[in-house]
Amino acid sequence: MSETQSREGRPSPEADDRGSPAPITLMLSSRLMVLANLLKRGAILRYKRLAGLSSVEFGLVASLGRRPPMSVARLAEAVGQDKGQISRALAGLVSRKLIAKSENPRDCREVLVSLTQAGLAAHDAIVEGAQQRNRLLLEQLSDDELETLLAQIERLTATAEAMLEAEKAPR
């Protein structure tokens, strides 16, 4: 299969009428997004199989981890999602007895959430699955290659953060 053909042999959406890839698909950011999306889709399927969790649910379970209880607002901030979406997912996790809710003893208006024993087992399955996926992904790299890759990712991340801040600045 060529870079510009789909699995069915048809030109892929990123190819133009001549079969050439669209210039944007050759850019580093596009290639990284493709990689990230493939990894995310694989993770979603794995965690659904291992623990019966949706992508939002496994993000919540992973974020709660083995930490002390946290507020719904703090959890929403940690996963970078809307409190409403988080609340709906939490309701499902509570009904499946993976998460327990309690009142904050310091502020009775605030609800704290934490993993139950079943939630901790799901968390551990997620961590184990993530470690396996990480090993599979990186086993093709030597120690030197991995060190270089991680250093480059750090540099690119710092540059991307600066670019984001520049876009936020008033013009």
Side-chain angles (χ1 to χ4, degrees):
M1 178 171 70
S2 78
E3 283 186 6
T4 59
Q5 289 189 344
S6 69
R7 285 192 170 91
E8 296 80 29
R10 294 187 307 271
S12 64
E14 66 270 2
D16 65 16
D17 292 340
R18 296 179 309 276
S20 300
I24 200 162
T25 65
L26 300 176
M27 292 182 182
L28 177 63
S29 58
S30 291
R31 291 175 183 214
L32 290 174
M33 284 189 269
V34 168
L35 174 60
N37 286 332
L38 288 169
L39 291 170
K40 181 179 180 180
R41 288 170 49 203
I44 289 168
L45 292 173
R46 176 171 282 227
Y47 304 141
K48 185 72 165 171
R49 178 176 48 81
L50 290 176
L53 300 174
S54 72
S55 62
V56 172
E57 291 171 336
F58 89 72
L60 296 176
V61 169
S63 292
L64 284 168
R66 295 188 170 272
R67 298 180 191 172
M70 69 172 71
S71 70
V72 175
R74 184 163 168 239
L75 181 60
E77 184 180 304
V79 297
Q81 292 183 327
D82 175 78
K83 264 179 58 174
Q85 185 180 23
I86 298 296
S87 293
R88 286 187 295 279
L90 285 174
L93 292 167
V94 167
S95 72
R96 290 171 23 220
K97 298 186 180 1
L98 296 173
I99 287 183
K101 288 184 172 184
S102 61
E103 185 178 282
N104 185 340
R106 288 178 284 180
D107 182 353
C108 62
R109 296 168 297 169
E110 188 174 61
V111 173
L112 300 178
V113 292
S114 60
L115 296 178
T116 63
Q117 287 300 317
L120 287 169
H123 172 267
D124 293 347
I126 288 170
V127 170
E128 171 77 22
Q131 289 171 338
Q132 286 176 333
R133 289 172 48 78
N134 195 59
R135 279 191 299 274
L136 284 171
L137 187 64
L138 299 179
E139 69 186 5
Q140 62 195 317
L141 300 176
S142 70
D143 289 345
D144 287 344
E145 289 171 324
L146 178 58
E147 186 177 321
T148 299
L149 174 63
L150 295 176
Q152 296 299 331
I153 289 172
E154 285 181 29
R155 285 179 56 200
L156 293 170
T157 300
T159 301
E161 287 171 345
M163 291 167 60
L164 174 61
E165 290 307 312
E167 288 298 329
K168 290 178 180 178
R171 301 205 181 232

